[in-house]
């Protein structure tokens, strides 16, 4: 594709995703547009050695999509944090953005909490973690230390029944379904795929990491963000999300190929 066409496509992509992804659109075109927008922002982040251009846009865009979403009757409220006692996975820039969001004076306490949590959760599989009810180390008095920068999986964790959440995330709980509008699940999948595709296109892993291990890898390093953007694998040895690269699934691979087809 010629440079002028690419610029025109970039402008159209930005216009298309101005109100965030719309799960009800259902045809993948917005996900493809967002994937390309995010890829340009990965490059901008690499040039500026700062994760802010990519993750600032990503988080704001998801906020917009949720703000303009149809009304759902959700039980979620401030201080309700049963869902913060579960396996969390996040992609590399999300983890780096969480770290960036923590005030410097809080980082040591956060690292201590992360080390303590990791001593319990280590490399355990999500199946084993389910039912342990281990709190996220970023949870302080039922509030997230990194609320404004929390990963997509947390931002889209909603429920229509807080009592069921309390049962589902309690220690020893068996498999209890959480009633949640499919809107949020589809939204999560769309943002997850768009970010994964942007990262893959730029040569980074498309998969997510287990959050405690990933935080542990970056919280103690002052240069983690610049090092990752420069290509160092600062997450080496961190447990990847078991589902791995989402583009191993044919339907996701088709979306990825369509994004860069021209
Ligand atoms: S998902 Fe469940 S536990 Fe989490 S905030 Fe909503 S109601 Fe509370
Ligand atoms: S990162 Fe924040 S929102 Fe996500 S599980 Fe941890 S405390 Fe909860």
């Amino acid at each position: 594709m010629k440079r002028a066409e690419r610029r025109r496509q970039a402008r159209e992509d930005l216009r298309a995703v101005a109100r965030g992804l719309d799960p009800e659109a259902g045809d993948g075109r917005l996900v493809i547009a967002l994937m390309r927008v995010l890829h340009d922002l990965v490059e901008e982040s690499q040039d500026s050695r700062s994760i802010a251009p990519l993750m600032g846009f990503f988080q704001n865009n998801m906020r917009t999509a949720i703000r303009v979403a149809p009304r759902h009757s959700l039980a979620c409220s401030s201080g309700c944090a049963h869902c913060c006692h579960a396996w969390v996975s996040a992609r590399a820039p999300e983890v780096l953005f969480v770290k960036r969001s923590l005030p410097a004076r809080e980082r040591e306490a956060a690292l201590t909490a992360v080390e303590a949590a990791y001593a319990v959760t280590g490399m355990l599989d999500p199946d084993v973690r389910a039912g342990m009810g281990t709190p996220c180390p970023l949870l302080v008095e039922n509030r997230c230390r990194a609320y404004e920068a929390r990963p997509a999986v947390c931002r889209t964790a909603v429920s229509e029944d807080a009592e069921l959440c309390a049962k589902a995330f309690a220690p020893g709980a068996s498999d209890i379904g959480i009633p949640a509008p499919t809107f949020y699940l589809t939204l999560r999948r769309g943002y997850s795929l768009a970010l994964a595709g942007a990262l893959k296109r730029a040569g980074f892993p498309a998969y997510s990491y287990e959050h405690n291990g990933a935080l542990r890898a970056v919280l103690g390093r002052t240069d983690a963000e610049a090092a990752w953007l420069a290509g160092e694998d600062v997450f080496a040895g961190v447990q990847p999300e078991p589902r791995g690269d989402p583009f191993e699934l044919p339907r996701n691979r088709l979306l990825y190929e369509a994004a860069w087809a021209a």
Side-chain angles (χ1 to χ4, degrees), residues 114-252:
V114 166
E115 290 288 5
Y118 188 77
V120 177
T121 58
M123 304 281 274
L124 295 175
D125 286 342
D127 287 351
V128 180
R129 292 272 300 272
M132 283 175 69
T134 316
C136 173
L138 298 183
L139 200 59
V140 179
E141 296 176 359
N142 282 345
R143 300 257 182 319
C144 176
R145 264 187 204 277
Y147 189 75
E148 289 303 325
R150 66 201 188 283
V153 72
C154 302
R155 202 172 277 281
T156 51
V158 297
S159 166
E160 293 164 336
D161 189 333
E163 280 181 32
L164 267 185
C165 288
K167 288 182 190 151
F169 296 111
S174 53
D175 202 9
I176 296 175
I178 305 288
T182 53
F183 179 94
Y184 285 88
L185 304 177
T186 312
L187 196 70
R188 176 186 300 174
R189 204 174 310 127
Y191 277 95
S192 169
L193 266 186
L195 182 57
L199 293 173
K200 186 179 177 77
R201 180 73 172 176
F204 292 105
Y207 48 80
S208 304
Y209 298 96
E210 190 276 327
H211 201 219
N212 293 349
L215 284 170
R216 185 168 169 260
V218 300
L219 271 177
R221 277 188 69 164
T222 51
D223 66 340
E225 190 172 314
W228 182 79
L229 285 165
E232 185 188 330
D233 185 3
V234 301
F235 297 98
V238 178
Q239 184 182 17
E241 215 259 353
R243 278 172 294 190
D245 183 337
F247 300 107
E248 282 169 15
L249 282 179
R251 69 167 190 272
N252 294 342

